Amino acid sequence: MGNCFSDEAGGKAAVGGTSSATGGGAAAANDAIDYYLKSRGFHGIFSQIELSFSATNLCDRDVLSKSDPMLVVYKKARDGSPTEVFRTEVILNSLNPTWIMKYAITFQFEVVQTLLFHVYDIDTQFHNLDVKMIKLDEQQFLGEASCVLSEILTKSNRSLTLDLLQKEDSTVSSHSPCGQLVVHAEECFSSKTTTEMILRCSDLEHKDLFSRINPFLVISKMVESGIPIAVCKTEVLKNDHNPIWKPIFLNIQQVGSKDSPLVIDCYNFNSSGKHDLIGEVTKSLADLEKLRSSGEGENLFSTTAVGHDHNKLLKSQLFVDKFSESIQHTFLDYLKGGCELNFMVAIDFTASNGNPRLPDSLHYLDPSGRLNAYQQAIVEVGEVLQFYDSDKRFPAWGFGARPIDGPVSHCFNLNGSTNHCEVEGIQGIMMAYASALLNVSLAGPTLFGPVISTAALIASQSLANGGKKYFVLLIITDGVVTDLQETKDAIVKASDLPLSILIVGVGGADFKEMEILDADKGEILESSTGRVASRDIVQFVPFRHVQNGQISVVQELLAELPTQFLTYMRSRDLQPSI
């Protein structure tokens, strides 16, 4: 995939990967440089995809010969507006064309990527023109189709057959057969070629001689503008002037090529987020491979206040103790092999949300149809995850409320059933949520432990049955969790299961404790018995931050999910069925 991967035990100790064989546990480093990386352009993981196209039984619009079809591809924005991104060549005299030209697109898991396809019969007088110069309004329209990229990628053969339809304003009857379009996806091979490296430094210097040094590395690629974009980081090692970091995995596609320059910065971790730069060096993957072969080190240098033209050579050196290349199975490989992501949701019905009948309540259902924060989170996350779940039956719970004629419940079925918790599709969750607001009394306190344990039980049952399922629990809450230690215990226990937990905080509460659960700020999640989480499975986002920024709640929440999925699969050496 696009970014390097973390198999680090004990929380998110590295974005860049550590080998599952290296262990972890309580000694695993506190990591927490997520904000640092995101502020420099690091978001999610990606994979390069090539789409190829063919069609069958197209309409024949020519009198003396068959149609000469060309395919045009559009991307749809969130508001539905299309932007043209690609045109195939023109295939002469064919109603069953197979186009040679392929469309390259970057798959982004956390974004719903909607594609629109138009097929045209190109008039003979335009055959000698570059396809980009052809005016589409002067050609005969043969049909259109639309799909989401993930619909193609979740097919076992990565091929999706779409019926071509006429536009509503077409003079041709909408019942006329317009043929079918077949879209096939291939993941570019380079996205699977991964280098594994073990990096170490010697004699690290620090300007404050009396303070400890807690070093970590950030590896960045240089983009055309000359700006470094962080693509990988190691874990933080405590009080170590001669650190040896755990293995990291760097994707070759992600950095460009083996000869592309990489900036390797060595920092001293600071809990404030303002990390001190110790030194840096610029090397390509090919250079690092040579360092491994020679066994020599490369001196770091520090940049003076004057600028890069005045650099101080340090006695500190960077060594490469291991360098190897391999093919890593990607997130899409597992999807192709039949793995699914199963969506679950748990909604906070505690009294602190306010009376649902009043407009200032976080649970207020606006008659105008405007979605409240709970509904927005359900829809946005669900719209992405629904394509990875074949039956689209989603467990849905509420917590912190008193059902009619009953005690306060901290995990009740949102649909009101006593026997089953699943609802049909995203619309089913929305309907069950609206119905629950009419049938429960908001109460408290805010307990996460019961819903996490319930979700973990489902995940463990699926695991026991050998199912190819990975579960994603979305918790939407307005308050600070009351059972913090019980919640930690449940998360640590669930970290061994095929489960990730997404938490959206709505309203104006202080959500600092949620950040502890997220384990992205240097905290190692530990149970009451001293057991450490085997991996980071929690991602928390305050909804107010999302509303004030440019990135959607989906992108913020789901950016880490494929990496968490891969960490689970690789730590257990589970191979895709491909």
Side-chain angles (χ1 to χ4, degrees):
M1 297 293 290
N3 286 329
C4 33
F5 313 110
S6 175
D7 295 320
E8 171 63 30
K12 183 185 170 193
V15 174
T18 54
S19 170
S20 59
T22 59
N30 63 338
D31 160 25
I33 315 141
D34 195 46
Y35 172 78
Y36 171 82
L37 289 177
K38 286 181 179 178
S39 67
R40 286 158 174 77
F42 180 92
H43 294 291
I45 68 178
F46 62 88
S47 188
Q48 195 71 13
I49 303 297
E50 275 192 347
L51 298 182
S52 55
F53 310 95
S54 62
T56 57
N57 301 318
L58 294 179
C59 295
D60 191 359
R61 299 295 175 79
D62 290 346
V63 178
L64 300 178
S65 65
K66 299 186 184 305
S67 295
D68 304 317
M70 178 183 77
L71 178 71
V72 182
V73 181
Y74 301 83
K75 272 183 171 180
K76 278 190 176 181
R78 287 177 64 88
D79 62 3
S81 59
T83 300
E84 183 184 325
V85 292
F86 175 75
R87 294 184 182 187
T88 66
E89 75 277 19
V90 178
I91 301 293
L92 300 182
N93 198 30
S94 177
L95 301 183
N96 300 283
T98 297
W99 290 281
I100 301 300
M101 295 180 65
K102 295 175 173 58
Y103 171 50
I105 182 173
T106 299
F107 166 64
Q108 294 174 274
F109 169 77
E110 65 272 23
V111 178
V112 178
Q113 296 171 275
T114 304
L115 301 173
L116 176 64
F117 309 102
H118 284 184
V119 181
Y120 291 89
D121 176 17
I122 306 303
D123 193 89
T124 305
Q125 62 179 309
F126 300 103
H127 287 180
N128 292 327
L129 280 181
D130 186 308
V131 292
K132 296 178 182 178
M133 303 298 293
I134 295 175
K135 295 181 179 179
L136 299 179
D137 57 1
E138 297 179 0
Q139 315 305 318
Q140 287 186 308
F141 182 76
L142 297 181
E144 70 177 9
S146 180
C147 72
V148 172
L149 180 59
S150 52
E151 290 183 88
I152 309 169
L153 297 173
T154 50
K155 297 292 184 182
S156 59
N157 59 358
R158 289 185 181 159
S159 289
L160 183 66
T161 300
L162 303 167
D163 290 326
L164 288 167
L165 306 174
Q166 287 292 329
K167 292 180 178 178
E168 292 181 1
D169 59 353
S170 174
T171 57
V172 179
S173 169
S174 59
H175 298 290
S176 299
C178 299
Q180 292 181 312
L181 176 70
V182 179
V183 186
H184 180 73
E186 285 291 338
E187 187 174 9
C188 294
F189 187 79
S190 62
S191 66
K192 302 180 187 181
T193 305
T194 301
T195 62
E196 178 184 356
M197 294 185 292
I198 295 179
L199 303 178
R200 66 179 171 94
C201 283
S202 64
D203 301 316
L204 288 182
E205 305 174 30
H206 194 273
K207 58 185 178 182
D208 187 348
L209 298 178
F210 300 101
S211 67
R212 290 188 171 188
I213 188 166
N214 302 312
F216 67 94
L217 299 177
V218 174
I219 301 177
S220 305
K221 67 177 180 180
M222 302 298 295
V223 296
E224 291 182 2
S225 62
I227 300 174
I229 300 297
V231 294
C232 184
K233 67 176 174 60
T234 67
E235 75 274 22
V236 178
L237 296 180
K238 294 182 179 179
N239 195 27
D240 195 339
H241 290 261
N242 297 284
I244 303 175
W245 289 279
K246 294 184 178 181
I248 60 173
F249 296 87
L250 257 183
N251 182 272
I252 290 182
Q253 173 190 303
Q254 178 193 13
V255 301
S257 72
K258 286 189 69 172
D259 296 317
S260 300
L262 299 173
V263 178
I264 304 173
D265 292 315
C266 185
Y267 287 93
N268 183 36
F269 177 82
N270 191 315
S271 58
S272 69
K274 296 180 179 179
H275 311 297
D276 301 315
L277 179 62
I278 299 171
E280 65 180 73
V281 65
T282 300
K283 291 289 179 183
S284 66
L285 287 176
D287 295 332
L288 294 172
E289 187 174 23
K290 291 176 182 177
L291 282 181
R292 171 67 188 99
S293 299
S294 67
E296 298 177 353
E298 183 75 18
N299 289 86
L300 303 181
F301 65 85
S302 64
T303 304
T304 65
V306 178
H308 282 281
D309 292 334
H310 297 77
N311 298 322
K312 176 185 176 182
L313 194 66
L314 305 177
K315 68 176 182 179
S316 309
Q317 287 190 312
L318 173 74
F319 291 86
V320 182
D321 284 352
K322 179 180 180 179
F323 187 101
S324 64
E325 292 184 11
S326 62
I327 302 301
Q328 289 279 349
H329 288 299
T330 67
F331 177 64
L332 295 181
D333 285 335
Y334 287 93
L335 294 184
K336 184 178 181 180
C339 288
E340 295 189 4
L341 301 181
N342 292 89
F343 182 41
M344 307 168 162
V345 65
I347 298 174
D348 183 344
F349 285 88
T350 55
S352 54
N353 282 280
N355 187 340
R357 295 170 179 80
L358 301 179
D360 61 350
S361 169
L362 293 169
H363 280 308
Y364 180 66
L365 301 181
D366 195 324
S368 70
R370 181 179 180 182
L371 302 182
N372 64 35
Y374 283 91
Q375 292 171 311
Q376 288 183 57
I378 292 169
V379 169
E380 290 199 26
V381 175
E383 280 183 344
V384 172
L385 294 181
Q386 64 178 334
F387 296 107
Y388 304 93
D389 191 331
S390 60
D391 66 6
K392 294 180 173 52
R393 293 181 59 83
F394 308 131
W397 303 287
F399 60 93
R402 181 178 290 105
I404 296 175
D405 300 328
V408 174
S409 174
H410 301 294
C411 186
F412 58 90
N413 294 334
L414 203 62
N415 58 14
S417 170
T418 56
N419 300 320
H420 62 90
C421 61
E422 292 184 332
V423 298
E424 295 281 351
I426 305 305
Q427 191 58 35
I429 299 176
M430 298 289 276
M431 293 172 63
Y433 166 61
S435 177
L437 286 172
L438 301 175
N439 293 294
V440 302
S441 299
L442 273 58
T446 305
L447 307 183
F448 281 6
V451 292
I452 293 175
S453 296
T454 302
L457 178 61
I458 294 176
S460 65
Q461 291 172 342
S462 174
L463 182 63
N465 294 331
K468 298 179 179 180
K469 295 181 182 295
Y470 190 91
F471 296 85
V472 183
L473 172 63
L474 171 65
I475 300 176
I476 316 171
T477 181
D478 83 310
V480 177
V481 60
T482 308
D483 62 336
L484 182 60
Q485 189 56 58
E486 290 81 359
T487 298
K488 287 183 179 181
D489 290 348
I491 292 173
V492 170
K493 186 177 180 180
S495 66
D496 288 331
L497 297 171
L499 175 68
S500 286
I501 301 171
L502 313 175
I503 305 176
V504 175
V506 298
D510 183 352
F511 291 116
K512 286 183 179 178
E513 287 184 351
M514 300 298 181
E515 295 177 353
I516 295 174
L517 300 179
D518 196 339
D520 276 357
K521 304 298 180 185
E523 290 284 338
I524 298 175
L525 210 58
E526 188 174 327
S527 72
S528 54
T529 61
R531 180 186 172 192
V532 174
S534 60
R535 61 192 181 92
D536 172 28
I537 65 170
V538 178
Q539 177 71 0
F540 168 72
V541 173
F543 200 78
R544 58 178 178 266
H545 290 182
V546 175
Q547 289 174 313
N548 294 333
Q550 296 297 314
I551 189 168
S552 76
V553 64
V554 170
Q555 291 173 275
E556 189 75 11
L557 272 175
L558 299 181
E560 293 181 14
L561 185 54
T563 301
Q564 291 178 359
F565 171 90
L566 286 169
T567 300
Y568 174 80
M569 294 297 180
R570 289 178 179 163
S571 65
R572 284 149 186 81
D573 197 26
L574 298 175
Q575 304 298 319
S577 304
I578 55 175

